[in-house]
């Protein structure tokens, strides 16, 4: 089974930085992509950044130039470096993985439990 465990959420002032980390486990699974999503109060969950197995990255327009996603294969983590944080970045951040257990098996979405980021003005 795939397990995703986030850490690093905190409360910071606007302009500050945070680094989120997601420990990824899933022996025998093939991962197509991992990434970060967020959900602010009263809003739908939205994609923040993703990285594929070929290291292709994609960012939401609102975070481009401020956030950087990276994958550490030695530690089996996917990290999100967040700089120049704004109050509108306040949300619960979720780690996501698109993975399958074998060739011919459909890919599925897996989610972590979330980590809260609060940015005050």
């Amino acid at each position: 089974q795939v397990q995703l465990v986030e850490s690093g959420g905190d409360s910071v002032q606007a302009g500050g930085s945070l680094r989120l980390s997601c420990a990824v486990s899933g022996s025998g699974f093939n991962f197509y992509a991992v990434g970060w999503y967020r959900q602010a109060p009263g809003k739908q969950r939205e994609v923040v950044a993703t990285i594929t197995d070929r290291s292709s990255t994609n960012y939401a327009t609102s975070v481009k130039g401020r956030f950087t996603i990276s994958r550490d294969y030695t530690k089996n983590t996917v990290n999100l470096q967040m700089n120049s944080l704004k109050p509108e970045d306040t949300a619960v951040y979720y780690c996501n993985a698109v993975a399958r257990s074998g060739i011919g098996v459909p890919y599925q979405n897996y989610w972590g439990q979330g980590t809260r980021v609060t940015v005050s003005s």
Side-chain angles (χ1 to χ4, degrees), residues 12-30:
V12 297
Q13 297 233 329
S17 298
L18 278 176
R19 183 177 177 85
L20 304 183
S21 185
C22 174
V24 180
S25 63
S27 178
F29 278 76
N30 172 247

Side-chain angles (χ1 to χ4, degrees), residues 52-72:
T52 71
D53 57 348
R54 298 192 177 193
S55 299
S56 175
T57 58
N58 185 55
Y59 295 91
T61 301
S62 60
V63 307
K64 278 183 181 177
R66 300 188 298 122
F67 291 11
T68 302
I69 189 170
S70 62
R71 189 150 183 201
D72 187 334

